[in-house]
Amino acid sequence: MYHYIPAGCEAVVAVKKGNEYQLFRFFVFDSYNNNQDEDSAEYLKLFGIYKADDISKIQFIRHSEQSKQNGYTDIIAEMTDRDEIELFYNYYSVLKNSSNRYFEILFNYNNTGNSGIESDYTVPETDIPDKTGSQTGIRPGTAPDDTTTAEDLPLTGNGDTGGISADTPLSSSAFSGTAAAGSGTVQPLRGYSDDALANPVTIRIYNKNGLYYDSPYYRNIGFISRYEINNDFREFLDGYVK
């Protein structure tokens, strides 16, 4: 196992198998096996981001049938201003795992956009469906590729970041200049309204070497991935996500 130097982080490793090298990209922490997640700082560090200066840019991506059918990335905004990136980092880097709250809101959400939550009830771990099933390489809180069904699924697609896409699944492909992206199907989480996770916007964070990772912003419930965000952060994001 080798460090893949162009990635500039620990998120990608190279493994020699015979006469070729295979690239593996990190996709999930052990905590996700228990329907939990890590704090945002752990993801940032994994992708070599320890401070705002380690972020090269941030993109905001909309998902539509048109962009999917025509095979293009619908970037609705891009953050490159260093002061703005620092402000984003200050908001994002302190976010804590809110998985119990996330599932609580999903199960209480209705089609009127009201979470219906009036107490501090925490969903018992035994009540939380196991979304992982037999599928490997599922990352917590990843935005759906199919906008007709709101699910906690990975995006798929090839990137142009030195042959490695940050949405490449954990399963590898032989490195030949482009890492193949996989796809999979996971049954929808039963018991909650699809509207809760509908129309997500992907926040794509690039490190200095061009490797990126995606966090879905669920505007309907005020979550980025499994992280509940405060009103100040939401107002800041509203300047980029109309």
mmCIF file of all heavy atoms in Angstrom, residues 26-48:
data_model
loop_
_atom_site.group_PDB
_atom_site.id
_atom_site.type_symbol
_atom_site.label_atom_id
_atom_site.label_comp_id
_atom_site.label_asym_id
_atom_site.label_seq_id
_atom_site.Cartn_x
_atom_site.Cartn_y
_atom_site.Cartn_z
ATOM 1 N N PHE A 26 -11.069 6.436 0.056
ATOM 2 C CA PHE A 26 -11.843 6.317 1.283
ATOM 3 C C PHE A 26 -13.309 6.618 1.018
ATOM 4 O O PHE A 26 -13.644 7.521 0.275
ATOM 5 C CB PHE A 26 -11.317 7.296 2.335
ATOM 6 C CG PHE A 26 -12.220 7.425 3.523
ATOM 7 C CD1 PHE A 26 -12.128 6.541 4.578
ATOM 8 C CD2 PHE A 26 -13.191 8.407 3.562
ATOM 9 C CE1 PHE A 26 -12.979 6.647 5.671
ATOM 10 C CE2 PHE A 26 -14.046 8.525 4.639
ATOM 11 C CZ PHE A 26 -13.938 7.645 5.688
ATOM 12 N N PHE A 27 -14.203 5.872 1.658
ATOM 13 C CA PHE A 27 -15.618 6.129 1.433
ATOM 14 C C PHE A 27 -16.468 6.120 2.685
ATOM 15 O O PHE A 27 -17.546 6.679 2.690
ATOM 16 C CB PHE A 27 -16.177 5.107 0.436
ATOM 17 C CG PHE A 27 -17.159 5.689 -0.521
ATOM 18 C CD1 PHE A 27 -16.778 6.687 -1.407
ATOM 19 C CD2 PHE A 27 -18.474 5.272 -0.536
ATOM 20 C CE1 PHE A 27 -17.672 7.242 -2.300
ATOM 21 C CE2 PHE A 27 -19.392 5.822 -1.429
ATOM 22 C CZ PHE A 27 -18.982 6.805 -2.304
ATOM 23 N N VAL A 28 -16.054 5.464 3.754
ATOM 24 C CA VAL A 28 -16.936 5.409 4.910
ATOM 25 C C VAL A 28 -16.134 5.114 6.175
ATOM 26 O O VAL A 28 -15.179 4.345 6.156
ATOM 27 C CB VAL A 28 -18.037 4.341 4.709
ATOM 28 C CG1 VAL A 28 -17.468 2.946 4.647
ATOM 29 C CG2 VAL A 28 -19.092 4.418 5.792
ATOM 30 N N PHE A 29 -16.513 5.748 7.269
ATOM 31 C CA PHE A 29 -15.957 5.440 8.579
ATOM 32 C C PHE A 29 -16.703 4.258 9.181
ATOM 33 O O PHE A 29 -17.852 3.970 8.821
ATOM 34 C CB PHE A 29 -16.105 6.645 9.519
ATOM 35 C CG PHE A 29 -15.134 7.758 9.252
ATOM 36 C CD1 PHE A 29 -15.541 8.919 8.604
ATOM 37 C CD2 PHE A 29 -13.814 7.665 9.678
ATOM 38 C CE1 PHE A 29 -14.657 9.959 8.368
ATOM 39 C CE2 PHE A 29 -12.921 8.700 9.447
ATOM 40 C CZ PHE A 29 -13.343 9.838 8.792
ATOM 41 N N ASP A 30 -16.067 3.580 10.121
ATOM 42 C CA ASP A 30 -16.720 2.460 10.809
ATOM 43 C C ASP A 30 -17.995 2.906 11.519
ATOM 44 O O ASP A 30 -18.928 2.118 11.684
ATOM 45 C CB ASP A 30 -15.772 1.823 11.834
ATOM 46 C CG ASP A 30 -14.666 1.020 11.172
ATOM 47 O OD1 ASP A 30 -14.816 0.664 9.986
ATOM 48 O OD2 ASP A 30 -13.646 0.749 11.837
ATOM 49 N N SER A 31 -18.033 4.154 11.953
ATOM 50 C CA SER A 31 -19.201 4.642 12.691
ATOM 51 C C SER A 31 -20.476 4.555 11.872
ATOM 52 O O SER A 31 -21.571 4.434 12.426
ATOM 53 C CB SER A 31 -18.981 6.091 13.143
ATOM 54 O OG SER A 31 -18.708 6.927 12.026
ATOM 55 N N TYR A 32 -20.353 4.596 10.534
ATOM 56 C CA TYR A 32 -21.549 4.549 9.695
ATOM 57 C C TYR A 32 -22.229 3.194 9.740
ATOM 58 O O TYR A 32 -23.410 3.067 9.442
ATOM 59 C CB TYR A 32 -21.204 4.920 8.262
ATOM 60 C CG TYR A 32 -22.401 5.335 7.449
ATOM 61 C CD1 TYR A 32 -23.262 6.317 7.913
ATOM 62 C CD2 TYR A 32 -22.682 4.754 6.220
ATOM 63 C CE1 TYR A 32 -24.370 6.715 7.182
ATOM 64 C CE2 TYR A 32 -23.793 5.144 5.478
ATOM 65 C CZ TYR A 32 -24.625 6.123 5.965
ATOM 66 O OH TYR A 32 -25.717 6.504 5.233
ATOM 67 N N ASN A 33 -21.469 2.155 10.118
ATOM 68 C CA ASN A 33 -22.071 0.828 10.268
ATOM 69 C C ASN A 33 -23.121 0.822 11.375
ATOM 70 O O ASN A 33 -23.996 -0.043 11.411
ATOM 71 C CB ASN A 33 -20.999 -0.215 10.571
ATOM 72 C CG ASN A 33 -20.054 -0.408 9.398
ATOM 73 O OD1 ASN A 33 -20.439 -0.249 8.245
ATOM 74 N ND2 ASN A 33 -18.809 -0.758 9.697
ATOM 75 N N ASN A 34 -23.016 1.766 12.291
ATOM 76 C CA ASN A 34 -23.975 1.893 13.390
ATOM 77 C C ASN A 34 -24.921 3.072 13.175
ATOM 78 O O ASN A 34 -25.489 3.597 14.124
ATOM 79 C CB ASN A 34 -23.234 2.054 14.716
ATOM 80 C CG ASN A 34 -22.414 0.834 15.069
ATOM 81 O OD1 ASN A 34 -22.867 -0.290 14.897
ATOM 82 N ND2 ASN A 34 -21.194 1.053 15.545
ATOM 83 N N ASN A 35 -25.048 3.504 11.902
ATOM 84 C CA ASN A 35 -25.927 4.619 11.558
ATOM 85 C C ASN A 35 -25.531 5.925 12.247
ATOM 86 O O ASN A 35 -26.383 6.753 12.553
ATOM 87 C CB ASN A 35 -27.389 4.280 11.871
ATOM 88 C CG ASN A 35 -27.936 3.224 10.943
ATOM 89 O OD1 ASN A 35 -28.032 3.431 9.743
ATOM 90 N ND2 ASN A 35 -28.263 2.073 11.504
ATOM 91 N N GLN A 36 -24.261 6.075 12.487
ATOM 92 C CA GLN A 36 -23.719 7.314 13.018
ATOM 93 C C GLN A 36 -22.749 7.893 12.000
ATOM 94 O O GLN A 36 -22.614 7.367 10.893
ATOM 95 C CB GLN A 36 -23.029 7.068 14.371
ATOM 96 C CG GLN A 36 -23.970 6.595 15.466
ATOM 97 C CD GLN A 36 -25.029 7.631 15.812
ATOM 98 O OE1 GLN A 36 -24.731 8.804 16.029
ATOM 99 N NE2 GLN A 36 -26.284 7.187 15.855
ATOM 100 N N ASP A 37 -22.087 8.953 12.350
ATOM 101 C CA ASP A 37 -21.145 9.590 11.442
ATOM 102 C C ASP A 37 -20.039 10.233 12.259
ATOM 103 O O ASP A 37 -20.127 10.322 13.490
ATOM 104 C CB ASP A 37 -21.863 10.633 10.584
ATOM 105 C CG ASP A 37 -21.107 10.981 9.312
ATOM 106 O OD1 ASP A 37 -19.971 10.510 9.148
ATOM 107 O OD2 ASP A 37 -21.658 11.718 8.476
ATOM 108 N N GLU A 38 -18.999 10.700 11.590
ATOM 109 C CA GLU A 38 -17.925 11.431 12.241
ATOM 110 C C GLU A 38 -18.204 12.924 12.153
ATOM 111 O O GLU A 38 -18.972 13.379 11.301
ATOM 112 C CB GLU A 38 -16.585 11.118 11.571
ATOM 113 C CG GLU A 38 -16.209 9.653 11.564
ATOM 114 C CD GLU A 38 -15.973 9.114 12.957
ATOM 115 O OE1 GLU A 38 -15.358 9.831 13.774
ATOM 116 O OE2 GLU A 38 -16.402 7.974 13.226
ATOM 117 N N ASP A 39 -17.586 13.681 13.022
ATOM 118 C CA ASP A 39 -17.684 15.136 12.925
ATOM 119 C C ASP A 39 -17.037 15.598 11.627
ATOM 120 O O ASP A 39 -16.159 14.925 11.067
ATOM 121 C CB ASP A 39 -17.004 15.795 14.124
ATOM 122 C CG ASP A 39 -17.684 15.453 15.440
ATOM 123 O OD1 ASP A 39 -18.858 15.028 15.415
ATOM 124 O OD2 ASP A 39 -17.030 15.608 16.496
ATOM 125 N N SER A 40 -17.443 16.748 11.148
ATOM 126 C CA SER A 40 -16.963 17.236 9.858
ATOM 127 C C SER A 40 -15.448 17.380 9.807
ATOM 128 O O SER A 40 -14.832 17.196 8.756
ATOM 129 C CB SER A 40 -17.617 18.575 9.534
ATOM 130 O OG SER A 40 -17.270 19.549 10.508
ATOM 131 N N ALA A 41 -14.836 17.708 10.933
ATOM 132 C CA ALA A 41 -13.381 17.902 10.965
ATOM 133 C C ALA A 41 -12.630 16.650 10.535
ATOM 134 O O ALA A 41 -11.548 16.735 9.937
ATOM 135 C CB ALA A 41 -12.940 18.330 12.365
ATOM 136 N N GLU A 42 -13.205 15.468 10.809
ATOM 137 C CA GLU A 42 -12.543 14.221 10.439
ATOM 138 C C GLU A 42 -12.499 14.050 8.933
ATOM 139 O O GLU A 42 -11.513 13.544 8.382
ATOM 140 C CB GLU A 42 -13.243 13.036 11.104
ATOM 141 C CG GLU A 42 -13.167 13.043 12.619
ATOM 142 C CD GLU A 42 -11.733 13.079 13.124
ATOM 143 O OE1 GLU A 42 -10.904 12.295 12.618
ATOM 144 O OE2 GLU A 42 -11.440 13.912 14.008
ATOM 145 N N TYR A 43 -13.543 14.451 8.239
ATOM 146 C CA TYR A 43 -13.542 14.387 6.779
ATOM 147 C C TYR A 43 -12.562 15.397 6.193
ATOM 148 O O TYR A 43 -11.840 15.094 5.238
ATOM 149 C CB TYR A 43 -14.944 14.660 6.234
ATOM 150 C CG TYR A 43 -15.895 13.508 6.397
ATOM 151 C CD1 TYR A 43 -16.747 13.436 7.496
ATOM 152 C CD2 TYR A 43 -15.959 12.481 5.459
ATOM 153 C CE1 TYR A 43 -17.624 12.373 7.657
ATOM 154 C CE2 TYR A 43 -16.832 11.420 5.607
ATOM 155 C CZ TYR A 43 -17.664 11.371 6.715
ATOM 156 O OH TYR A 43 -18.535 10.324 6.879
ATOM 157 N N LEU A 44 -12.558 16.586 6.754
ATOM 158 C CA LEU A 44 -11.638 17.607 6.260
ATOM 159 C C LEU A 44 -10.193 17.146 6.383
ATOM 160 O O LEU A 44 -9.409 17.261 5.431
ATOM 161 C CB LEU A 44 -11.857 18.912 7.023
ATOM 162 C CG LEU A 44 -13.182 19.636 6.772
ATOM 163 C CD1 LEU A 44 -13.352 20.792 7.752
ATOM 164 C CD2 LEU A 44 -13.273 20.136 5.337
ATOM 165 N N LYS A 45 -9.841 16.590 7.531
ATOM 166 C CA LYS A 45 -8.462 16.120 7.737
ATOM 167 C C LYS A 45 -8.118 14.982 6.789
ATOM 168 O O LYS A 45 -6.996 14.906 6.277
ATOM 169 C CB LYS A 45 -8.265 15.688 9.191
ATOM 170 C CG LYS A 45 -8.244 16.839 10.186
ATOM 171 C CD LYS A 45 -7.873 16.395 11.587
ATOM 172 C CE LYS A 45 -8.914 15.495 12.197
ATOM 173 N NZ LYS A 45 -8.580 15.126 13.596
ATOM 174 N N LEU A 46 -9.067 14.095 6.558
ATOM 175 C CA LEU A 46 -8.838 12.963 5.669
ATOM 176 C C LEU A 46 -8.477 13.436 4.270
ATOM 177 O O LEU A 46 -7.666 12.825 3.572
ATOM 178 C CB LEU A 46 -10.080 12.076 5.621
ATOM 179 C CG LEU A 46 -9.971 10.789 4.817
ATOM 180 C CD1 LEU A 46 -9.048 9.792 5.517
ATOM 181 C CD2 LEU A 46 -11.339 10.179 4.605
ATOM 182 N N PHE A 47 -9.083 14.564 3.858
ATOM 183 C CA PHE A 47 -8.802 15.118 2.536
ATOM 184 C C PHE A 47 -7.739 16.208 2.578
ATOM 185 O O PHE A 47 -7.632 17.024 1.669
ATOM 186 C CB PHE A 47 -10.104 15.648 1.917
ATOM 187 C CG PHE A 47 -10.962 14.556 1.347
ATOM 188 C CD1 PHE A 47 -11.788 13.808 2.171
ATOM 189 C CD2 PHE A 47 -10.926 14.247 -0.001
ATOM 190 C CE1 PHE A 47 -12.572 12.782 1.664
ATOM 191 C CE2 PHE A 47 -11.698 13.225 -0.526
ATOM 192 C CZ PHE A 47 -12.527 12.487 0.313
ATOM 193 N N GLY A 48 -6.942 16.212 3.643
ATOM 194 C CA GLY A 48 -5.806 17.126 3.722
ATOM 195 C C GLY A 48 -6.177 18.560 3.973
ATOM 196 O O GLY A 48 -5.419 19.477 3.624
#
